[in-house]
Amino acid sequence: MGAGQAVPLTQDEAHYLFAVMRLEVGARVALFNGRDGEWTAEVVEAHKKRGVLACVEQAAPQLAPPDLWLIFAPIKKERTDFIVEKATELGCAKVLPVQTEFTNSARIRQDRLQAHAKEAAEQCLGTYVPPVEDLEPLKKLLASWDPARRILWADEALVGPAETLAGLAPGPWAILIGPEGGFSEGERETLRSLDFVTPVSLGPRILRADTAVCAAITLWQSALGDWR
Amino acid sequence: MGAGQAVPLTQDEAHYLFAVMRLEVGARVALFNGRDGEWTAEVVEAHKKRGVLACVEQAAPQLAPPDLWLIFAPIKKERTDFIVEKATELGCAKVLPVQTEFTNSARIRQDRLQAHAKEAAEQCLGTYVPPVEDLEPLKKLLASWDPARRILWADEALVGPAETLAGLAPGPWAILIGPEGGFSEGERETLRSLDFVTPVSLGPRILRADTAVCAAITLWQSALGDWR
């Protein structure tokens, strides 16, 4: 984006701004594209089904999250939506849904999850929207994994005092959260055998998958991420 | 509870166990009352609308959370439910909904929130159900607050690097999370003037109230609670 640049609106956007919010020519709105931070823009054309904004100036720089990915097994619809929302808010750079042996769903609505990530960023005045990948089998993902990116595995078998993450090496990481019911014995063996996988405990209580996502990202951000 | 003790079932419980789950006399179930840990019990009478269990033996000791309370301003219905669920899972001893100047709701369904806490404990195999208090004005709560219990205030104006909680004094604590829209200037002044209130930042991104609840409890548990 640049000062003066014209931004044509989609029909939905025009409907929201002019029919729902009743903005008129000259009104100012906040704008972001996921790359250039937050911009102030002005309405220059306002119709029921179309309209144009003009960029005025950058209001805030782009805030990129640290190099943290989230790998998770989709669960029930609303809790899956929730996981994507929380990963966006808490600061993940990418979201990778995986199919595990105990994952019910054979597919996901990637477009819907991506829209959820965008909405979460908007709600929280964020300017970064993590890409949500398509569902991939965990086995396949691990087989082609770049070992330079370490995986923090929230191992539900380790329920007990949480490890401190303070001693972990900085660098690119991914957090791995299993489905309700955890991982199969075969998957657990594979994970235990991989050098780039570090198991951690998330405390003495058993957590739902969506709660584990929030807790693990929080711990990582405060030890290695941009919450320090 | 004690071995051999008879436990009569409510109509709903009998319906669930015998009509839905199709359990018969002799079947075993897990039982908890919030005080005596997890017990194994046996079905001794099974009818469509009533029934009796007999306690067999304790399967797990009571796991009480640390002395951490959550004070929060109710938001939209499902997100309020969610906050109570997460406070239960992540280990709070008590939940206190408060009315702030920017809280829309003048009342809550305390019974429904309490039922949510119970369900969350059941889902996560927990044996402790935090009491959910009735809605109280924040002003009133603070005026009669016992200063021996410190308050960790997630201050949305402090968005930036998160403080480490490692230096905080152990002892009884409460976490305070504001409504969407934050606290009013008057409330902020009051909070800033109280010696028992410590403001903290939850990182560089603005978080929804329910996300802030998860993040703040996680940080407290790993610094001062039973996740260590």
Side-chain angles (χ1 to χ4, degrees):
Chain A
M1 284 191 264
Q5 190 184 326
V7 180
L9 297 171
T10 65
Q11 190 170 323
D12 283 353
E13 291 164 344
H15 176 78
Y16 180 74
L17 291 181
F18 308 132
V20 179
M21 300 300 290
R22 312 252 171 185
L23 297 188
E24 295 180 354
V25 168
R28 294 198 159 191
V29 297
L31 201 65
F32 75 101
N33 63 2
R35 289 184 310 274
D36 299 321
E38 184 191 326
W39 277 72
T40 301
E42 196 175 287
V43 176
V44 291
E45 276 186 48
H47 305 281
K48 272 190 182 161
K49 297 185 170 182
R50 63 196 168 80
V52 178
L53 307 178
C55 293
V56 177
E57 59 185 0
Q58 197 187 41
Q62 177 71 11
L63 176 64
D67 195 0
L68 175 67
W69 296 359
L70 173 69
I71 311 168
F72 80 100
I75 43 178
K76 275 192 297 185
K77 181 181 162 299
E78 59 193 4
R79 288 189 188 267
T80 301
D81 293 351
F82 177 84
I83 285 174
V84 171
E85 177 186 306
K86 294 318 176 211
T88 304
E89 281 186 55
L90 293 166
C92 288
K94 196 191 254 196
V95 177
L96 300 94
V98 287
Q99 201 176 355
T100 68
E101 287 187 41
F102 297 158
T103 309
N104 318 19
S105 43
R107 51 185 159 166
I108 54 163
R109 286 279 311 271
Q110 187 277 338
D111 57 336
R112 226 172 46 82
L113 292 181
Q114 187 65 70
H116 261 284
K118 179 161 167 266
E119 198 192 312
E122 285 170 0
Q123 281 286 336
C124 296
L125 308 180
T127 47
Y128 180 85
V129 181
V132 180
E133 302 292 301
D134 239 325
L135 192 67
E136 193 175 10
L138 175 64
K139 215 169 174 167
K140 201 177 145 202
L141 187 79
L142 291 176
S144 62
W145 191 260
D146 172 3
R149 179 179 299 276
R150 298 191 58 81
I151 293 180
L152 196 66
W153 169 31
D155 182 358
E156 73 280 1
L158 289 183
V159 166
E163 266 103 308
T164 168
L165 306 189
L168 296 182
W173 278 89
I175 285 170
L176 170 63
I177 305 286
E180 313 280 333
F183 293 98
S184 72
E185 204 30 65
E187 287 168 337
R188 302 178 56 74
E189 253 175 56
T190 305
L191 287 166
R192 275 195 298 261
S193 74
L194 295 169
D195 279 343
F196 53 83
V197 174
T198 304
V200 283
S201 153
L202 297 175
R205 276 164 290 272
I206 296 172
L207 303 180
R208 276 189 167 108
D210 53 341
T211 318
V213 164
C214 294
I217 300 175
T218 298
L219 291 180
W220 189 92
Q221 287 285 15
S222 65
L224 295 168
D226 63 8
W227 293 28
R228 289 172 297 172
Chain B
M1 283 190 263
Q5 189 184 324
V7 180
L9 298 171
T10 65
Q11 189 171 323
D12 283 352
E13 291 165 344
H15 174 79
Y16 180 73
L17 291 181
F18 309 131
V20 180
M21 299 301 289
R22 311 253 171 182
L23 297 189
E24 295 180 353
V25 168
R28 295 198 158 190
V29 297
L31 201 65
F32 75 101
N33 63 3
R35 289 184 309 274
D36 300 320
E38 184 189 326
W39 277 72
T40 301
E42 196 175 286
V43 176
V44 291
E45 278 185 46
H47 305 280
K48 271 191 183 159
K49 296 186 169 179
R50 60 197 170 81
V52 178
L53 307 178
C55 294
V56 177
E57 60 184 2
Q58 196 187 42
Q62 176 72 13
L63 176 65
D67 194 0
L68 175 67
W69 296 0
L70 174 68
I71 311 168
F72 79 101
I75 42 178
K76 274 192 296 183
K77 182 180 160 301
E78 58 192 3
R79 289 189 187 267
T80 301
D81 294 349
F82 177 85
I83 285 174
V84 171
E85 176 188 305
K86 295 316 176 212
T88 305
E89 282 184 56
L90 294 166
C92 287
K94 195 191 254 196
V95 176
L96 300 96
V98 288
Q99 201 178 354
T100 68
E101 287 188 41
F102 297 158
T103 309
N104 318 18
S105 44
R107 49 185 162 172
I108 53 160
R109 285 281 311 272
Q110 187 277 337
D111 56 336
R112 224 172 48 81
L113 292 182
Q114 187 64 70
H116 260 284
K118 180 162 168 266
E119 198 192 311
E122 285 169 0
Q123 281 286 337
C124 297
L125 309 179
T127 48
Y128 180 86
V129 181
V132 180
E133 301 292 301
D134 239 324
L135 191 68
E136 193 174 12
L138 176 65
K139 214 169 176 169
K140 201 178 146 201
L141 186 81
L142 291 176
S144 63
W145 191 260
D146 173 3
R149 179 178 299 275
R150 300 190 56 82
I151 293 179
L152 197 65
W153 169 30
D155 182 358
E156 75 280 1
L158 289 183
V159 165
E163 265 102 309
T164 168
L165 306 189
L168 295 182
W173 279 90
I175 285 169
L176 171 62
I177 305 285
E180 313 279 333
F183 293 98
S184 72
E185 202 31 62
E187 287 169 337
R188 303 179 56 77
E189 253 174 57
T190 305
L191 287 166
R192 276 194 297 260
S193 73
L194 295 169
D195 278 345
F196 53 84
V197 173
T198 304
V200 283
S201 153
L202 297 175
R205 275 163 290 272
I206 295 172
L207 303 180
R208 274 188 167 110
D210 54 340
T211 318
V213 164
C214 294
I217 300 175
T218 298
L219 291 180
W220 189 92
Q221 287 286 14
S222 66
L224 294 168
D226 64 6
W227 292 29
R228 287 172 297 173

